Amino acid sequence: MVQRAQTLGDLARELGLSFRGDAARVLQSIAPLTAANEQQLSFLANPKFKAQLADCSAGALIIHPDLAEQWAGDCLFADNPYLAYASATALFDPLDKPRAGIHPSAVVLSDKIHKTASIGANCVIEEGAEIGEGAVISHGTVVGRECRIGAFCYLHANVTLYHDVWLGRETVLHSGVVIGGDGFGFAPGKNGWTKIHQLGGVRIGERVEIGAASTIDRGALEHTTIGNGVILDDQTHIAHNVVIGDNTAMAGCCQVAGSAVIGKNCTFAGNVGVVGHITICDGVHFTARTVVSKSVDTPGTYSSGSVMMESGQWRKNTARLPRLDELFRRVMALEKKQKD
Amino acid sequence: MVQRAQTLGDLARELGLSFRGDAARVLQSIAPLTAANEQQLSFLANPKFKAQLADCSAGALIIHPDLAEQWAGDCLFADNPYLAYASATALFDPLDKPRAGIHPSAVVLSDKIHKTASIGANCVIEEGAEIGEGAVISHGTVVGRECRIGAFCYLHANVTLYHDVWLGRETVLHSGVVIGGDGFGFAPGKNGWTKIHQLGGVRIGERVEIGAASTIDRGALEHTTIGNGVILDDQTHIAHNVVIGDNTAMAGCCQVAGSAVIGKNCTFAGNVGVVGHITICDGVHFTARTVVSKSVDTPGTYSSGSVMMESGQWRKNTARLPRLDELFRRVMALEKKQKD
Amino acid sequence: MVQRAQTLGDLARELGLSFRGDAARVLQSIAPLTAANEQQLSFLANPKFKAQLADCSAGALIIHPDLAEQWAGDCLFADNPYLAYASATALFDPLDKPRAGIHPSAVVLSDKIHKTASIGANCVIEEGAEIGEGAVISHGTVVGRECRIGAFCYLHANVTLYHDVWLGRETVLHSGVVIGGDGFGFAPGKNGWTKIHQLGGVRIGERVEIGAASTIDRGALEHTTIGNGVILDDQTHIAHNVVIGDNTAMAGCCQVAGSAVIGKNCTFAGNVGVVGHITICDGVHFTARTVVSKSVDTPGTYSSGSVMMESGQWRKNTARLPRLDELFRRVMALEKKQKD
């Protein structure tokens, strides 16, 4: 899709950056440093790669002022070029926001829809649900009873919210997301499982983004709670009663079991799994596929898992794992004998 | 959302429990033991925590008769307080069942809809599909040809059933669930993969509950089969031809590969993975993230995986795994020499 | 559901196979070798199981000509019986293709719908989207702006495509699939995360099949790209900027992180995870749940992970892992002393 062209001067003004070169230069799109042509903007985020500037054909770059001498072309100067690039992408994004109003095919049972909100085709908005100023509810999305959708939220197509789910302003939910499904609560008995009705709701903060096909369950008695500024990638699963602190980020397919409490400013690589009823302090990083099997009270980086090998080698070595404790004992015995 | 208030006397009658105190006492909602106030009901499931009774402010408790002396307030007596709590949640649940009838926006191509069933907005019910007594099909849900939905089933919004999927009575499917998608069957050839049309269906028992965004594929030639009383949490994946026995429970994100046969009364912690074509006997428990790589014929608890460490320590130790077999051999050599 | 009966003679003609027996014999359905009755067709794919022919009651079999003497009944001869079986399943599949035309409840904002395409109930086709010859868009599916859906594609119910997603001809998307959601791109700053608008699209080849509830994110600046003939099972997650080569196959729940490049003709067992920014050459196989933590430049089979044990044994042995490096050093010390 064709991006929304920008001039260098407009970019500088919109992004609040100083620049060097032709303010009228038209930049059709943003492209990676090694692929950009004369009609494109690019950026250098990591000074480690500054050698690539020599071969760069971009029409203009976002760079750190310290590199001004390394690049002869037009440029925007930013203390944090990656952050400036992030802001620039919003300007080049060609998508128009859907028009305000309710599509005639939508079924709206609530009278709390802000007049500037956009309700797409085939949506269902249940009784008592509030849709805030400028919010977008895309096609096929269902908003349950007494939900509250903050101003400028964007719910993409085919999202499902059960009842009593609240979203703070400017929160984005991608397609296929399900929020407020029943937490996995059942009491065992002689005749099988008895369902525990999940009476809590879900409370999600402002400026949260939740990736496609993610699931966040409602609380058993209290609310499942996601802080402000949290970002969750696709296919995340958050179980009932979980609490996630502000600005925590989880890459794709992370899984958090019931009643876990996650701190602020944590970063999870892909497919990290957190067991239930544990607490993770602020500022913790987990590497990919870590199984977080106990509470963490010290900020830092944690990992679990094995290492990839050629399969024959892997089978031979992992076959030894069930005897690892025995091996320790045999080495202790050797040490003792040698000492004697 | 405001829960449905109950009096102590009504609760005792509905739950079939004896009680102590004021039958007319109004309990507005259920809350956790440590958070409940005088207008709330709570429960003590585990006598280990009976010390918490001293500080409890709940208006009434569900407790075991053995603890009658430990708690001076109003109470309901239950041999299994957790099970009684589970039953109580149904009474406090404020949600009304949707009204019977077919929403005018639904597209219904079948004449086998029970008159007491509720078909929500924008649903599609294909030819020959049966919808049983009191069943609820929520907004945006699609029910394929010749499906059979048992009495009092509840399909939440935006569920998709392909053709020839049968659900026993009182089964609950959460939003985003897809049942009857094609199993992953392809034959390799010189020109790539040839699709094997999946000609079996899916047969799901009574009182089953399936969590949000779960997928259960149709069988290749015979049916994928889920027993009565099975409970599956969100984002479960069940591949084609799998058989799961009655009352087996799987926590979030479990994955069962094709043609695996799982026994009755098994319990899977989160994100357990089962490889294809193996058999698990009744009464097996797997801990979180276990990779079930072979059949299990003895009830018990099984695990796999590594242990979480600070990442520097983890890298140093896991780097040794590809030489673990060598280490065993070196220890054997040491033992042999020492013996000589 | 009742399969579409075939005669032996028709099967031979349609599949281009020679046969032995009664051309007029009616075969009602396909069944597994050990379950098939006289009215059913079956097949023997692996000569290792030829002993099963003695007890087989099938009306006809697909077998290799080398086994002609081992089976007295009617048969079809195929050099690759499994491939011939795959082709046969298409003939027995009872499902009729939906009729061409646009359902009156669909919201179609594009004028580029081929007259032979089928647009189901409650679909939304956005402006500028092209729907090719004979393509099927099932109920509730949303196709975003300027998407291009090739000829004879089949999008099952409740699929969501964002804008600028292209599918080559004959590609199949199962229900719940989301393609073109935003890649997980955010720049960290003092005040939390700034979203990087994802300006690339998704380009998917011909004859691709993508399983239910899978997610494929759009590229940050360039396109996420899936080659021809790729097959992905349910709940696959493909992050932004990933490139997957032709005919690569991934079983259920595989996860590929951003900017990974996967070769052609690779096969992934279930729930393999690939970290970001690495390259996998053609012809690589990963076993179930492997964490692909580095690039692979040599075809072959790779694995990671531990081994399943009874949980007591597992705890005892995995507790030793954090001291594995120490154990190596102790053995080295023993060896040194013994040598001295």
Side-chain angles (χ1 to χ4, degrees):
Chain A
M1 220 163 159
V2 177
Q3 294 180 26
R4 205 181 292 276
Q6 306 287 327
T7 66
L8 188 62
D10 285 349
L11 284 170
R13 198 187 63 245
E14 291 283 342
L15 301 174
L17 301 177
S18 62
F19 74 101
R20 184 181 72 200
D22 176 10
R25 176 189 283 273
V26 177
L27 297 157
Q28 300 292 346
S29 55
I30 313 185
L33 193 68
T34 53
N37 65 33
E38 288 184 12
Q39 300 197 308
Q40 294 180 305
L41 175 71
S42 193
F43 65 100
L44 182 70
N46 189 337
K48 223 170 52 180
F49 298 121
K50 68 182 178 189
Q52 295 181 351
L53 292 177
D55 297 324
C56 178
S57 306
L61 287 185
I62 306 172
I63 55 172
H64 194 277
D66 290 354
L67 295 177
E69 303 301 306
Q70 318 276 326
W71 167 250
D74 287 7
C75 51
L76 296 152
F77 296 115
D79 287 340
N80 185 337
Y82 192 60
L83 193 54
Y85 151 65
S87 300
T89 58
L91 304 174
F92 284 88
D93 192 337
L95 270 203
D96 292 317
K97 204 174 153 174
R99 274 179 305 196
I102 298 174
H103 192 277
S105 65
V107 175
V108 176
L109 305 173
S110 162
D111 57 0
K112 299 178 180 171
I113 315 295
H114 196 281
K115 65 180 185 221
T116 60
S118 169
I119 312 293
N122 302 323
C123 288
V124 181
I125 313 292
E126 284 275 15
E127 292 166 39
E130 292 181 29
I131 311 292
E133 178 189 354
V136 175
I137 313 294
S138 302
H139 315 309
T141 285
V142 174
V143 178
R145 289 179 54 183
E146 300 191 25
C147 284
R148 298 188 188 176
I149 309 302
F152 306 106
C153 281
Y154 203 121
L155 279 60
H156 286 272
N158 287 330
V159 163
T160 310
L161 304 190
Y162 285 59
H163 61 284
D164 196 21
V165 171
W166 297 8
L167 309 182
R169 54 185 294 134
E170 297 170 50
T171 279
V172 175
L173 307 183
H174 284 282
S175 295
V177 162
V178 178
I179 301 184
D182 286 342
F184 196 63
F186 297 85
K190 270 172 294 184
N191 302 311
W193 303 97
T194 295
K195 181 176 178 69
I196 299 168
H197 286 240
Q198 302 290 299
L199 303 173
V202 182
R203 298 293 178 262
I204 293 178
E206 304 179 351
R207 294 166 289 106
V208 170
E209 182 149 344
I210 299 177
S214 293
T215 53
I216 300 182
D217 284 350
R218 64 191 317 104
L221 294 172
E222 299 179 305
H223 302 312
T224 303
T225 305
I226 311 289
N228 295 324
V230 168
I231 52 175
L232 307 176
D233 198 354
D234 296 3
Q235 298 194 34
T236 301
H237 172 57
I238 307 293
H240 56 178
N241 311 322
V242 166
V243 176
I244 299 181
D246 293 351
N247 296 321
T248 280
M250 298 188 184
C253 309
C254 287
Q255 303 157 346
V256 183
S259 302
V261 177
I262 315 282
K264 300 176 183 180
N265 302 307
C266 293
T267 50
F268 289 49
N271 197 218
V272 168
V274 179
V275 305
H277 297 275
I278 67 173
T279 301
I280 308 301
C281 68
D282 297 349
V284 171
H285 176 67
F286 296 109
T287 61
R289 288 238 171 155
T290 294
V291 179
V292 184
S293 51
K294 56 190 176 203
S295 291
V296 174
D297 59 10
T298 309
T301 299
Y302 298 84
S303 305
S304 74
S306 120
V307 60
M308 186 176 73
M309 311 172 217
E310 184 280 322
S311 295
Q313 189 192 12
W314 173 76
R315 269 191 300 273
K316 195 172 65 177
N317 284 288
T318 54
R320 296 298 197 177
L321 286 171
R323 295 176 60 195
L324 187 56
D325 180 63
E326 176 205 310
L327 186 68
F328 270 82
R329 297 180 188 282
R330 283 161 63 181
V331 169
M332 279 186 272
L334 283 166
E335 288 169 336
K336 188 164 183 295
K337 272 203 187 159
Q338 205 176 60
K339 202 174 170 190
D340 291 346
Chain B
M1 219 164 160
V2 177
Q3 295 180 26
R4 203 182 293 276
Q6 307 287 326
T7 66
L8 188 62
D10 285 349
L11 283 170
R13 198 187 62 247
E14 291 283 340
L15 301 174
L17 301 175
S18 61
F19 73 101
R20 184 180 72 198
D22 176 8
R25 177 189 282 274
V26 176
L27 298 157
Q28 300 292 345
S29 56
I30 313 185
L33 192 68
T34 53
N37 65 32
E38 289 184 11
Q39 299 196 310
Q40 293 180 306
L41 175 71
S42 193
F43 65 101
L44 182 69
N46 189 337
K48 224 170 50 179
F49 297 121
K50 67 182 179 188
Q52 296 182 350
L53 293 177
D55 297 325
C56 179
S57 307
L61 286 186
I62 306 174
I63 55 173
H64 193 278
D66 290 354
L67 295 177
E69 303 300 307
Q70 318 275 326
W71 168 250
D74 288 6
C75 51
L76 297 152
F77 296 114
D79 288 339
N80 185 337
Y82 192 59
L83 194 55
Y85 151 64
S87 299
T89 58
L91 304 174
F92 284 90
D93 192 337
L95 270 203
D96 292 317
K97 203 174 152 174
R99 273 179 305 197
I102 298 174
H103 192 278
S105 66
V107 175
V108 176
L109 306 174
S110 162
D111 56 1
K112 300 177 178 170
I113 315 296
H114 196 281
K115 65 182 186 220
T116 60
S118 169
I119 312 293
N122 301 323
C123 288
V124 181
I125 314 292
E126 283 276 14
E127 292 166 38
E130 293 181 30
I131 310 293
E133 177 189 354
V136 175
I137 312 294
S138 302
H139 315 309
T141 285
V142 174
V143 178
R145 288 180 54 185
E146 300 191 24
C147 284
R148 298 189 190 176
I149 309 302
F152 305 105
C153 281
Y154 203 120
L155 279 62
H156 286 273
N158 287 330
V159 163
T160 311
L161 305 191
Y162 285 59
H163 60 285
D164 195 22
V165 172
W166 296 10
L167 309 181
R169 55 185 294 134
E170 296 170 50
T171 279
V172 176
L173 306 184
H174 284 282
S175 295
V177 162
V178 178
I179 301 184
D182 286 342
F184 196 62
F186 296 86
K190 271 171 293 186
N191 303 312
W193 302 98
T194 295
K195 181 177 179 68
I196 299 169
H197 287 240
Q198 303 288 299
L199 303 174
V202 182
R203 298 293 177 262
I204 292 178
E206 303 179 353
R207 293 164 289 106
V208 170
E209 182 149 343
I210 299 177
S214 294
T215 52
I216 300 182
D217 284 348
R218 64 192 314 104
L221 294 172
E222 299 179 306
H223 302 312
T224 304
T225 305
I226 312 288
N228 295 324
V230 168
I231 51 175
L232 307 177
D233 197 355
D234 296 2
Q235 298 195 33
T236 301
H237 172 56
I238 307 293
H240 56 178
N241 312 319
V242 165
V243 176
I244 299 181
D246 293 352
N247 295 323
T248 281
M250 298 188 185
C253 309
C254 287
Q255 303 157 345
V256 183
S259 303
V261 177
I262 314 283
K264 299 176 182 178
N265 302 308
C266 293
T267 49
F268 289 49
N271 197 219
V272 168
V274 179
V275 305
H277 297 276
I278 67 173
T279 301
I280 308 300
C281 67
D282 297 350
V284 172
H285 176 67
F286 297 108
T287 61
R289 286 236 172 157
T290 295
V291 180
V292 184
S293 51
K294 56 190 176 206
S295 291
V296 175
D297 58 10
T298 309
T301 299
Y302 298 85
S303 304
S304 74
S306 119
V307 60
M308 187 174 74
M309 313 172 215
E310 183 280 322
S311 295
Q313 189 192 13
W314 173 76
R315 267 191 302 273
K316 195 172 66 177
N317 284 288
T318 55
R320 295 299 197 177
L321 286 172
R323 293 176 61 194
L324 188 56
D325 181 63
E326 176 205 310
L327 186 68
F328 270 81
R329 295 178 188 282
R330 284 162 63 182
V331 170
M332 279 186 272
L334 284 165
E335 289 169 335
K336 189 163 182 296
K337 272 204 187 159
Q338 205 176 60
K339 201 175 169 192
D340 291 346
Chain C
M1 222 164 159
V2 177
Q3 294 180 26
R4 203 181 292 277
Q6 306 287 324
T7 66
L8 187 62
D10 285 350
L11 284 170
R13 198 186 63 245
E14 290 284 340
L15 302 173
L17 301 176
S18 60
F19 73 101
R20 185 181 71 199
D22 176 9
R25 176 189 283 274
V26 175
L27 298 157
Q28 300 291 346
S29 57
I30 313 185
L33 192 67
T34 53
N37 65 31
E38 288 185 11
Q39 299 196 311
Q40 293 180 308
L41 175 71
S42 194
F43 65 100
L44 182 70
N46 189 337
K48 226 171 48 181
F49 297 121
K50 68 182 177 188
Q52 296 182 349
L53 293 177
D55 297 324
C56 178
S57 306
L61 286 185
I62 305 173
I63 55 172
H64 193 277
D66 290 355
L67 295 177
E69 303 300 308
Q70 320 274 326
W71 168 251
D74 289 6
C75 53
L76 296 153
F77 296 114
D79 288 340
N80 184 337
Y82 192 59
L83 194 55
Y85 151 65
S87 300
T89 58
L91 304 174
F92 283 88
D93 192 337
L95 271 203
D96 293 316
K97 205 176 152 173
R99 274 179 304 197
I102 298 173
H103 192 277
S105 65
V107 175
V108 176
L109 305 174
S110 162
D111 56 1
K112 298 178 179 172
I113 316 295
H114 196 281
K115 66 181 186 223
T116 59
S118 170
I119 312 293
N122 301 325
C123 288
V124 181
I125 314 291
E126 283 276 15
E127 292 166 39
E130 292 180 31
I131 311 292
E133 179 190 353
V136 175
I137 313 295
S138 301
H139 314 309
T141 285
V142 174
V143 178
R145 287 179 56 182
E146 299 191 24
C147 285
R148 297 188 190 178
I149 310 302
F152 305 106
C153 281
Y154 202 120
L155 279 61
H156 286 273
N158 287 332
V159 163
T160 311
L161 305 191
Y162 285 59
H163 61 286
D164 196 21
V165 172
W166 297 8
L167 308 181
R169 55 186 293 135
E170 297 171 48
T171 279
V172 175
L173 307 183
H174 284 282
S175 294
V177 163
V178 178
I179 301 184
D182 285 343
F184 196 63
F186 297 85
K190 270 171 292 186
N191 301 312
W193 303 97
T194 295
K195 182 177 177 68
I196 299 169
H197 287 240
Q198 303 289 297
L199 304 173
V202 182
R203 298 293 177 262
I204 292 178
E206 304 178 353
R207 293 164 291 107
V208 169
E209 183 149 344
I210 298 177
S214 294
T215 51
I216 300 182
D217 284 350
R218 63 191 317 105
L221 294 172
E222 299 178 306
H223 302 311
T224 304
T225 305
I226 312 288
N228 295 324
V230 167
I231 51 176
L232 306 177
D233 199 355
D234 296 3
Q235 298 196 33
T236 301
H237 172 56
I238 306 293
H240 57 179
N241 311 320
V242 166
V243 176
I244 299 181
D246 293 351
N247 296 321
T248 280
M250 298 188 185
C253 308
C254 287
Q255 303 158 344
V256 183
S259 302
V261 177
I262 315 283
K264 299 177 183 176
N265 302 307
C266 292
T267 50
F268 289 49
N271 197 218
V272 168
V274 179
V275 306
H277 297 275
I278 67 173
T279 301
I280 309 300
C281 68
D282 298 349
V284 171
H285 176 67
F286 296 108
T287 61
R289 288 238 170 153
T290 295
V291 180
V292 183
S293 51
K294 57 189 176 204
S295 292
V296 175
D297 59 8
T298 309
T301 300
Y302 298 84
S303 305
S304 73
S306 120
V307 61
M308 186 174 74
M309 311 172 218
E310 184 280 322
S311 295
Q313 188 191 15
W314 173 76
R315 269 191 300 272
K316 193 172 66 177
N317 284 289
T318 55
R320 295 299 196 177
L321 286 172
R323 294 175 60 194
L324 188 55
D325 180 63
E326 176 205 310
L327 186 68
F328 269 81
R329 296 179 187 282
R330 285 161 62 181
V331 170
M332 279 186 272
L334 283 165
E335 287 169 336
K336 189 163 182 298
K337 272 203 189 158
Q338 205 177 59
K339 202 174 168 190
D340 291 345

